[in-house]
């Protein structure tokens, strides 16, 4: 990756490798929808194992399942299943795939910012306007979502 990265980032330079960032905002949005559907199905599968009492705390169940789903899938392949379907993967500031710690921090920041309207809107605007299409959580960690090279 060093041949297409600049001095500040280990991430590819969007001016030298625009194909790695092409359509990433739309792909991330579609991946989010796929992930939300998968999380919904997972929560439905869990409900019977709680004798359906989880219906009374379903939002907490959703947040918990979502957090574990994102951490485990991102740490296992640097992308959620929705991202993999859309051929997008996360890379850290060195241009490497995420490990467990980075996946945990990314998911934690994503979850916190998604919980509040203003940071959520700021993050969406940043994804649409920054040259690497980074959300607020990506900018803090120095990470970015790229089109997969597989």
């Amino acid at each position: 990756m060093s041949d297409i990265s600049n001095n500040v980032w280990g991430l590819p330079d969007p001016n030298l490798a625009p194909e790695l960032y092409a359509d990433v905002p739309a792909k991330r949005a579609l991946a989010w929808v796929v992930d939300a559907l998968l999380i919904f199905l997972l929560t439905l599968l869990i409900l019977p194992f709680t004798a359906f009492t989880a219906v009374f705390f379903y939002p907490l169940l959703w947040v918990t399942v979502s957090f574990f789903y994102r951490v485990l899938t991102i740490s296992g392949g640097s992308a959620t299943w929705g991202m993999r379907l859309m051929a997008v993967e996360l890379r850290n500031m060195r241009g490497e795939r995420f490990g467990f710690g980075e996946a945990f921090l990314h998911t934690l920041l994503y979850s916190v910012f998604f919980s509040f309207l203003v940071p959520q809107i700021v993050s969406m605007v940043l994804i649409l306007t920054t040259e690497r299409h980074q959300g607020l959580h990506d900018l803090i960690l120095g990470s970015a979502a790229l089109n997969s090279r597989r």
Side-chain angles (χ1 to χ4, degrees):
M1 252 197 224
S2 60
D3 57 332
I4 55 174
S5 62
N6 61 27
N7 295 340
V8 180
W9 298 82
L11 293 170
D13 186 320
N15 295 315
L16 299 175
E19 69 281 0
L20 293 175
Y21 298 96
D23 303 320
V24 166
K27 288 180 174 184
R28 281 182 95 164
L30 290 171
W32 184 88
V33 171
V34 170
D35 290 331
L37 288 171
L38 289 171
I39 292 163
F40 175 69
L41 291 173
L42 287 170
T43 59
L44 288 182
L45 287 172
I46 292 169
L47 275 177
F49 295 102
T50 67
F52 295 96
T53 58
V55 166
F56 299 109
F57 55 90
Y58 189 78
L60 179 62
L61 177 65
W62 177 282
V63 168
T64 304
V65 170
S66 175
F67 192 87
F68 281 103
Y69 165 82
R70 291 179 189 287
V71 171
L72 294 174
T73 56
I74 292 171
S75 66
S78 211
T80 63
W81 289 340
M83 290 173 161
R84 292 174 200 182
L85 183 65
M86 296 298 138
V88 173
E89 62 187 19
L90 295 167
R91 295 297 178 123
N92 65 20
M93 68 176 65
R94 296 176 305 280
E96 302 165 345
R97 291 173 165 234
F98 276 27
F100 182 81
E102 291 160 322
F104 182 86
L105 284 174
H106 191 272
T107 301
L108 180 64
L109 288 172
Y110 162 83
S111 299
V112 168
F113 295 149
F114 195 78
S115 299
F116 298 97
L117 183 62
V118 173
Q120 185 179 9
I121 291 171
V122 168
S123 194
M124 287 188 286
V125 168
L126 288 169
I127 287 172
L128 293 172
T129 59
T130 58
E131 65 179 2
R132 287 188 172 88
H133 303 297
Q134 295 166 295
L136 193 53
H137 53 295
D138 295 316
L139 285 172
I140 289 171
L141 294 175
S143 61
L146 307 173
N147 287 312
S148 298
R149 295 189 201 188
R150 299 178 218 178

